[in-house]
Amino acid sequence: MRIITVKDYEELSKKAANILASQITLKPNSVLGLATGSTPVGAYRELVRIYKEGDINFSEVVTFNLDEYYGLDKENLQSYYYFMRDNIFKFVNININNIHIPDGRAKNIEQECIGYEDKIKQAGGIDLQLLGIGRNGHIGFNEPDVKFEAQTHLVTLDEDTIEANSRFFASMEEVPDQAISMGIKTIMHSRKILLLASGEEKAETINNMINGKITPELPASVLQLHPDVIVLLDEKAASKL
Ligand code: F6R
């Protein structure tokens, strides 16, 4: 793991966007694994800025999102599909056919999950996977006690995750309690991983992820076994290292 610590969220966002932009420059048809949540919002904003300055081109880029809430359709304001469109896709020249996000309304979940894995394979695998991390150590929606061998699957969200994500919803009751998420195995198959964490509330989890033992109790600890991970932190998230 390569740990990079920067001063604050602004710097973290710029550096993350530069890493993503370099990936696209070096391989214009890169397959990117993307995350939602608060952490990558600044990185997406910066990436859009780099695009508007004419320095990168998304026309051949292929994307796969980590997860989607189960039960929400694309038009729902809280869906991750909507989030991605609103934060990045509507601003850049990505081909809509190259965007992949699990279908939260899929009738046949098993088929949706197997199909998602197939599409990743057909695209040639993920070149660079962007990750955030939950306070409980989840990556994607792989909650504590995860099976490391899992691929894309339906997950039940932890109470802690529902509480953390309720800030985007009118009430706790409205937060879906299930999601379709890439599994740990899917994430570990990416060629490179860039994990972002910002703020003090992530500090202890980050320390355990880097210096603790590898355990399903802290799903992100499995990243210690991946050969090419950058962990990009701001000073607060790095404060317990
Ligand atoms: C999002 C995802 C989650 C988030 C994590 C952190 O697609 O898979 O693992 O990365 O919950 O969320 P924030 O960035 O909101 O703290």
Side-chain angles (χ1 to χ4, degrees):
M1 275 184 180
R2 199 141 62 86
I3 322 290
I4 303 177
T5 304
V6 295
K7 190 166 157 284
D8 55 18
Y9 182 71
E10 270 316 295
E11 266 190 45
L12 174 117
S13 300
K14 285 194 181 131
K15 204 168 243 353
N18 284 336
I19 294 170
L20 289 162
S22 305
Q23 173 68 39
I24 297 170
T25 304
L26 291 170
K27 188 180 177 201
N29 60 348
S30 284
V31 180
L32 302 180
L34 297 177
T36 57
S38 303
T39 314
V41 168
Y44 292 150
R45 186 197 61 222
E46 286 300 312
L47 200 57
V48 168
R49 188 186 54 73
I50 296 171
Y51 166 77
K52 286 192 172 152
E53 285 171 1
D55 291 334
I56 45 169
N57 177 358
F58 281 82
S59 61
E60 292 178 72
V61 170
V62 177
T63 63
F64 286 90
N65 263 75
L66 279 167
D67 38 27
E68 177 62 282
Y69 287 119
Y70 178 59
L72 299 193
D73 70 35
K74 292 177 175 181
E75 297 312 318
N76 190 304
L77 300 190
Q78 319 305 341
S79 75
Y80 284 166
Y81 193 94
Y82 197 94
F83 172 100
M84 292 307 292
R85 194 170 54 193
D86 223 34
N87 281 285
I88 178 165
F89 293 152
K90 71 178 183 190
F91 299 113
V92 299
N93 67 335
I94 191 159
N95 178 341
I96 193 165
N97 298 319
N98 288 348
I99 295 171
H100 305 90
I101 301 180
D103 179 2
R105 296 293 297 265
K107 294 260 167 342
N108 185 332
I109 296 291
E110 208 185 315
Q111 211 172 61
E112 175 65 18
C113 295
I114 293 170
Y116 205 64
E117 290 289 331
D118 282 348
K119 283 185 213 149
I120 295 174
K121 256 191 223 111
Q122 277 161 25
I126 293 171
D127 292 307
L128 176 60
Q129 175 68 56
L130 182 65
L131 295 176
I133 183 169
R135 296 186 299 210
N136 64 0
H138 73 208
I139 45 176
F141 274 137
N142 294 285
E143 303 284 33
D145 257 342
V146 67
K147 292 201 172 27
F148 283 158
E149 66 275 18
Q151 293 188 298
T152 301
H153 62 309
L154 184 69
V155 295
T156 299
L157 304 181
D158 259 20
E159 274 305 308
D160 188 64
T161 301
I162 292 174
E163 197 245 293
N165 289 4
S166 64
R167 67 191 191 278
F168 300 113
F169 292 80
S171 69
M172 280 264 279
E173 288 66 45
E174 279 183 36
V175 188
D177 55 8
Q178 288 184 305
I180 298 174
S181 175
M182 281 186 197
I184 294 289
K185 189 170 173 185
T186 325
I187 293 170
M188 291 297 278
H189 273 165
S190 319
R191 292 184 188 93
K192 288 186 194 134
I193 293 177
L194 171 61
L195 183 141
L196 310 180
S198 164
E200 211 157 340
E201 62 163 18
K202 304 283 172 73
E204 196 168 333
T205 309
I206 287 294
N207 182 40
N208 291 336
M209 172 187 92
I210 295 171
N211 296 317
K213 62 174 196 272
I214 299 169
T215 163
E217 284 303 313
L218 196 121
S221 63
V222 75
L223 298 176
Q224 292 178 28
L225 299 174
H226 191 283
D228 196 353
V229 181
I230 296 177
V231 179
L232 182 52
L233 307 170
D234 65 10
E235 278 175 2
K236 287 185 175 152
S239 60
K240 299 223 164 120
L241 286 178

